[in-house]
Amino acid sequence: MRIGIGLPNHVEGADGATLLAVARRAEDLGFASVYANDRLVWTNHEPLTLLAAVAGATTRIHLTGVLVAPLRTDHALLASAAASVDSLAGAGRLTLALAPGVRAEDFERAGVPFAGRGAALDALLRELRHCWGPDGDVGPRPATPGGPALLLAGTSAPTLRRIVTHGRGWLANPGLARFEDFSAVLRVRWRQEGRDGEPFRGVVVPFALGAEAVTTMERTQRAFFATTPEHAGPVIAGTATSASAVRDVVHAYARAGADELVLQAQHPDPGQVDRVAEALDAVSVGA
């Protein structure tokens, strides 16, 4: 199982220089990937733009970006932007995890219908494959043959359908029990669809080490989920806040068959990467 670091893109005080410092530290310490999340009505950097900067500041670490895909209504332009990052980063480094989106305020601000987001995501998936395929008519050509790897985020029935028909696999943060349940269903559907091998299964778990980081995490999550406060409590409770809790999370998801675990930083201090690496000193963190 690979272990990556989620950039604290959603945390107040995480400016560009800080995020690049976190990414470089993750690479220096041997983590397999960095991850950038997405939201429009918030303080975070746009994930593709952020990962383009990270690609230039690092040399080998894998780059995963979650995109609330239906907000990107110009599908050809998104295909070009993603192919550009893939070309700049080098073949095989970029992965996109496409999500339908759950926050109506993001769609309202973008002037995009919230109700039609599933159909928009389906149309986008078709267009990306066309643009990155042999008959694609927008540039640049991606460095990765066929374009960046595509994961789907979520746990719904349409997400399952999209994974087995369009994706390389799944990335989500549903909790261990839901991860195990959805993984079992996904593997069956993958084989029924005639797909080769196994679907990629990744999971994101927040961490905050030290009293200041825990306080920042709690404040950030309550603000982040202000419009859906029922979600804040489970996220706070599910955050690994000690070295032993980090190790427990790693072992639990390794036993559950995860291919990648992203530990999502909840404080902008790059030293959080050192602290989580120390917690994992007996665990392999490379690719």
Side-chain angles (χ1 to χ4, degrees), residues 29 31 272-282 285:
L29 289 172
F31 286 92
Q272 285 285 297
V273 184
D274 294 83
R275 295 186 72 155
V276 80
E278 291 170 5
L280 298 173
D281 58 3
V285 299

Side-chain angles (χ1 to χ4, degrees), residues 82-157:
S84 296
V85 178
D86 187 73
S87 176
L88 293 166
R93 286 185 71 190
L94 179 64
T95 295
L96 299 181
L98 305 181
V102 296
R103 294 181 176 84
E105 61 268 28
D106 285 350
F107 287 79
E108 181 179 355
R109 183 65 184 86
V112 177
F114 184 66
R117 65 196 187 281
L121 177 51
D122 289 333
L124 172 61
L125 286 165
R126 293 190 295 269
E127 183 68 11
L128 291 178
R129 286 310 182 200
H130 168 72
C131 290
W132 297 338
D135 299 323
D137 54 355
V138 300
R141 301 304 301 160
T144 305
L150 292 179
L151 307 178
L152 280 300
T155 56
S156 67

Side-chain angles (χ1 to χ4, degrees), residues 228-239:
T228 54
E230 67 276 10
H231 294 153
V235 172
I236 292 170
T239 299

Side-chain angles (χ1 to χ4, degrees), residues 5 8 18 21-23 25-26 29 31 207-210 213 265-279:
I5 292 293
T18 297
V22 172
R25 195 66 188 136
L29 289 172
F31 286 92
F207 80 94
L209 298 177
Q266 302 296 308
H267 191 280
D269 178 14
Q272 285 285 297
V273 184
D274 294 83
R275 295 186 72 155
V276 80
E278 291 170 5

Side-chain angles (χ1 to χ4, degrees), residues 35-38 47-48 51 63-70 72 94-101 121 124-125 128 132 148-154 168-172 200 202 204 260:
Y35 159 98
N37 56 6
D38 190 20
L48 269 181
L51 291 179
L63 315 168
T64 300
V66 171
L67 300 180
V68 180
R72 280 81 176 175
L94 179 64
T95 295
L96 299 181
L98 305 181
L121 177 51
L124 172 61
L125 286 165
L128 291 178
W132 297 338
L150 292 179
L151 307 178
L152 280 300
R168 173 66 188 87
W170 176 50
L171 180 68
F200 180 92
V204 181
E260 182 167 37

